[in-house]
Amino acid sequence: MSTVSYYTAEGLKKLKEELETLKHIERPKASQAIAEARDKGDLSENAEYDAAKEAQGLLELRISKMEEVYSNARLIDESQLDMSKALVLSNVKIKNQANGMEMKYTLVAESEADLKSGKISVTSPIGKGLLGKSVGDVAEITVPNGVLKFEILDISRD
């Protein structure tokens, strides 16, 4: 069963570049490593050959999985998104009602999530809780250690 994943233009480009690197740079390196190991003699006692074949198998598996992800990837059309609600690609400024702390996150697809750069997945508990909310709404989000209440202060797009 294949699942459709939604990407920004930047995320889709990054995925394609990584796939191209694996196919056109890493695959030839793996073949070269096998050829070099094969040239070293008896294959029945050649651990280097076995390791190179195993590495090639893992690389091919990774390429296959990435090709499947890429074939099911869809580009998000930002012009069709409702600007008044928190949706994928929204920059959401929230205030934790328990401690008054303000945070700003960008809601992105799971594959593009990066907390260090303020990008959280729409499939994470906080991301799910913010989806569909408007400015002024209070999102009650269940997390492993209880319920958090966040007030939506601002929603914007870059």
Side-chain angles (χ1 to χ4, degrees):
M1 182 177 149
S2 58
T3 52
V4 173
S5 299
Y6 293 93
Y7 287 84
T8 60
E10 173 190 345
L12 195 60
K13 180 181 176 205
K14 203 166 151 183
L15 179 67
K16 185 174 183 174
E17 287 173 354
E18 186 176 349
L19 182 57
E20 292 300 314
T21 299
L22 289 174
K23 286 172 137 181
H24 301 295
I25 296 173
E26 297 301 320
R27 187 181 270 164
K29 282 184 186 177
S31 295
Q32 182 64 32
I34 290 171
E36 288 174 7
R38 192 180 317 120
D39 290 343
K40 292 186 178 175
D42 185 9
L43 297 181
S44 64
E45 297 176 10
N46 192 336
E48 192 175 330
Y49 177 77
D50 292 338
K53 287 293 283 183
E54 185 175 338
Q56 182 188 36
L58 293 173
L59 176 66
E60 291 301 325
L61 180 65
R62 187 167 168 214
I63 288 172
S64 174
K65 285 185 178 192
M66 284 193 71
E67 284 177 333
E68 182 181 346
V69 168
Y70 187 72
S71 69
N72 293 312
R74 302 292 179 266
L75 186 62
I76 298 168
D77 184 359
E78 295 181 57
S79 67
Q80 301 297 315
L81 299 178
D82 182 354
M83 299 293 274
S84 66
K85 297 185 185 283
L87 301 169
V88 176
L89 300 182
S90 295
N91 296 313
V92 183
K93 187 175 182 183
I94 57 176
K95 181 178 181 181
N96 186 330
Q97 291 191 324
N99 62 14
M101 190 171 152
E102 292 184 7
M103 297 157 279
K104 188 172 184 177
Y105 294 115
T106 302
L107 299 176
V108 296
E110 186 173 356
S111 56
E112 295 182 59
D114 180 15
L115 196 55
K116 289 180 185 173
S117 62
K119 295 179 178 182
I120 60 170
S121 167
V122 292
T123 59
S124 70
I126 292 175
K128 280 183 189 175
L130 295 176
L131 281 177
K133 299 288 190 259
S134 301
V135 174
D137 288 353
V138 174
E140 291 188 17
I141 301 167
T142 303
V143 293
N145 56 333
V147 176
L148 298 174
K149 292 183 181 182
F150 294 108
E151 180 183 353
I152 312 298
L153 301 176
D154 185 45
I155 299 172
S156 63
R157 296 235 169 30
D158 288 339

